[in-house]
Amino acid sequence: MAEAGAEPGAEQGTAEAEGKQPRSVRVVLLALMIAMLLAMLDNMIVGTAMPTIVGELGGLEHLSWVVTAYTLATAASTPIWGKLGDMYGRKGVFMTSIVLFLIGSALSGMAQDMGQLIGFRAIQGLGAGGLMVGVMAIIGDLIPPRERGKYQGMMAGVMALAMIGGPLVGGTITDHWGWRWSFYINLPLGVVALIAISAVLHLPRKRAQARIDYLGAGLLTVGITSIVLVTTWGGSEYAWGSAMIMELIGIGVAALVGFLFWQTKAAAPVVPLHIFRSANFSLMSVVGFITGFVMFGAVLFLPLYQQSVQGASATNSGLLLLPMLGAMLVTSMVAGRVTTATGHYKAFPIVGSVLMAVGLYLLSLMDTDTSRLTSGVYMAVVGAGMGCLMQITMLVSQNSVEMKDMGVASSTTTLFRTLGSSFGVAIMGALFNNRVQHVMAERAGALGSKVTEQSAQLDAASLAKLPVPAREAYQHAVSAGTHSAFLLGAVVAVVALIAAVFVKEVPLRGAGPAADASGEDTPNDAVPAPKATVTETV
């Protein structure tokens, strides 16, 4: 066993001299990427299988809860997993989250009715809340921020693989093995990740003296749950001005205000508010929120536009996003390599925000005559912007806090991105639906209103059954709806640009001579390089 930061052995010294990580670290990174893939792939695979699931289990009226239960549990548990990792050690907590996710997956595959499936999906979501946080925090422990940029392409690649491959894998599994294997497929991948992490990853064990902040965790869970339910139900299950939505807003605001007050009193707060004293951390939280807002809105409406207006096949819906995801992968790799080579990163949030805003504005210009090539170019611009932002936000956030707060910094950044996606889907969705119904009523009269009275989003089968005038009216309506949604996204992206401009370029830990140990020329946000806390089997 060799302690990181101690005198390295010959093998480790050679690896570092060549700019390579020890073999054990590469094995751990592979296992972490598998865990990250599990967290991101699940909803995409299950979404494709949902029609078959409903056909066998029934319970169509509860269909949305299969996704909502998972999303709620993931969002609510994310900050708690991060804090537990800081208090009791990341390895054990991360492996526990994997085991919980796998238990939820196995139970979901064995569900006999919709009620059971919803409950088991919640268990699965609780585990998923710790997967992304654990991956980011462990990478933060293993690899200094200056070197971490080299692995951005790997993480962006996993995300692109999940978004492109999810629907394809889900459809193939459902057609050939049955929908239950949409959940069982997680088991072998999870077991591989568990074995690799157990055998190779060696982090120091921790034992916190303070008790878990149960009150803070409870208040935060109630607040997050209320927010997610408002964004999920508003405008669909309930009208935005309905009593239910107003009550949820009131409960959410009260819980979050109480949570913020209690965090100033708790001995071991779930989210230590002092991390927000770092201007960079706060600014990156804003940028992360907006990135989630824009990305998931784009992922929702781009396939809808291409299927409804451009006549693309729904079967290959993941491939429709290839220009955006490919550009995101390439720019993420470039940003990571440049950051590692130079230690400079401020340009990327600024350039990324500009590209994202411009790309979304271009997408808002699409109409019924826009070619697939043109829309692909527009998507690539948005993807390039996201690639500059996705991992840089996490990198800067982790570099802005002390090592003891690495878990809560990772979980808080992840939570802001998750909440951003909830708000993005809800607000852009409400704008889209309102615009589609208005244009349909305007162009197709009573028939248009009847066609979209249940939902402004029609599947391919429903669209094919419409009379030609109604179908053409719907294509114009979807074009108008995406215009409004993407124009809103462009405006929101400008806020990310404003936040990015104020980011200070603080030397990245592990940057060698670039970081002044005396701290004389170090900006306020800089965090001194920590003592090594990772041991590696070489």
Side-chain angles (χ1 to χ4, degrees), residues 373-500:
L373 175 61
T374 301
S375 60
V377 171
Y378 295 168
M379 282 191 279
V381 176
V382 175
M386 290 179 184
C388 292
L389 294 171
M390 287 301 296
Q391 303 305 328
I392 288 290
T393 54
M394 182 65 72
L395 175 68
V396 177
S397 297
Q398 290 180 335
N399 192 61
S400 301
V401 302
E402 298 177 37
M403 288 295 290
K404 68 181 179 66
D405 292 324
M406 185 68 70
V408 292
S410 303
S411 64
T412 303
T413 303
T414 303
L415 176 63
F416 272 100
R417 189 176 295 171
T418 301
L419 293 178
S421 67
S422 294
F423 276 91
V425 170
I427 296 174
M428 293 173 77
L431 197 61
F432 172 87
N433 289 342
N434 182 269
R435 186 66 179 150
V436 167
Q437 290 170 351
H438 175 76
V439 173
M440 281 295 284
E442 190 176 73
R443 283 182 169 264
L447 175 59
S449 299
K450 184 177 181 180
V451 166
T452 58
E453 64 183 3
Q454 295 297 322
S455 173
Q457 301 178 31
L458 302 181
D459 57 28
S462 301
L463 193 58
K465 295 176 182 176
L466 293 179
V468 174
R471 190 184 312 140
E472 292 178 351
Y474 183 71
Q475 290 173 338
H476 282 282
V478 168
S479 179
T482 52
H483 166 77
S484 299
F486 288 132
L487 193 60
L488 171 66
V491 173
V492 171
V494 173
V495 178
L497 174 60
I498 295 171

Side-chain angles (χ1 to χ4, degrees), residues 162-391:
M163 290 184 176
I164 295 172
L168 297 174
V169 172
T172 302
I173 289 175
T174 304
D175 290 342
H176 294 89
W177 297 350
W179 67 266
R180 296 183 186 278
W181 278 95
S182 299
F183 299 103
Y184 293 151
I185 195 67
N186 294 327
L187 302 182
L189 291 173
V191 169
V192 169
L194 274 176
I195 293 173
I197 290 168
S198 176
V200 182
L201 178 63
H202 298 277
L203 300 176
R205 295 181 180 178
K206 303 177 184 178
R207 183 67 189 177
Q209 298 299 317
R211 297 178 59 190
I212 297 173
D213 179 15
Y214 291 107
L215 178 57
L219 288 170
L220 183 60
T221 299
V222 171
I224 293 173
T225 300
S226 299
I227 290 173
V228 174
L229 285 178
V230 166
T231 56
T232 303
W233 285 349
S236 55
E237 298 287 328
Y238 301 94
W240 283 106
S242 66
M244 174 63 78
I245 297 300
M246 292 296 106
E247 288 171 6
L248 284 171
I249 291 174
I251 292 170
V253 170
L256 292 177
V257 170
F259 169 76
L260 292 174
F261 173 78
W262 177 248
Q263 294 307 279
T264 64
K265 309 291 184 184
V270 176
V271 179
L273 299 184
H274 65 78
I275 63 176
F276 290 99
R277 293 175 189 163
S278 164
N280 274 6
F281 184 84
S282 298
L283 290 169
M284 285 298 103
S285 296
V286 173
V287 173
F289 179 92
I290 292 170
T291 303
F293 187 106
V294 167
M295 185 175 75
F296 285 90
V299 168
L300 175 65
F301 293 111
L302 281 171
L304 179 64
Y305 169 83
Q306 292 192 306
Q307 291 170 37
S308 301
V309 179
Q310 296 182 326
S313 168
T315 306
N316 299 322
S317 56
L319 296 176
L320 301 175
L321 299 173
L322 192 57
M324 183 177 77
L325 298 173
M328 185 176 74
L329 175 59
V330 171
T331 53
S332 182
M333 292 176 66
V334 171
R337 291 289 177 177
V338 172
T339 300
T340 297
T342 66
H344 298 298
Y345 54 81
K346 180 173 179 176
F348 293 112
I350 295 175
V351 172
S353 299
V354 170
L355 287 174
M356 198 162 64
V358 170
L360 287 164
Y361 174 73
L362 291 174
L363 287 175
S364 75
L365 300 179
M366 295 190 304
D367 56 27
T368 55
D369 297 321
T370 303
S371 68
R372 291 191 190 181
L373 175 61
T374 301
S375 60
V377 171
Y378 295 168
M379 282 191 279
V381 176
V382 175
M386 290 179 184
C388 292
L389 294 171
M390 287 301 296
Q391 303 305 328

Side-chain angles (χ1 to χ4, degrees), residues 476-535:
H476 282 282
V478 168
S479 179
T482 52
H483 166 77
S484 299
F486 288 132
L487 193 60
L488 171 66
V491 173
V492 171
V494 173
V495 178
L497 174 60
I498 295 171
V501 168
F502 288 98
V503 171
K504 296 179 183 177
E505 189 148 68
V506 177
L508 297 172
R509 289 195 292 265
D516 188 355
S518 69
E520 292 178 0
D521 298 320
T522 303
N524 293 333
D525 279 6
V527 180
K531 295 180 180 179
T533 60
V534 181
T535 56

Side-chain angles (χ1 to χ4, degrees), residues 21 25 28-29 32 137-144 201 203 534 536:
Q21 289 292 332
V25 176
V28 170
L29 285 171
L32 294 176
I138 290 173
I139 288 176
D141 275 349
L142 280 176
I143 303 168
L201 178 63
L203 300 176
V534 181
E536 299 165 356

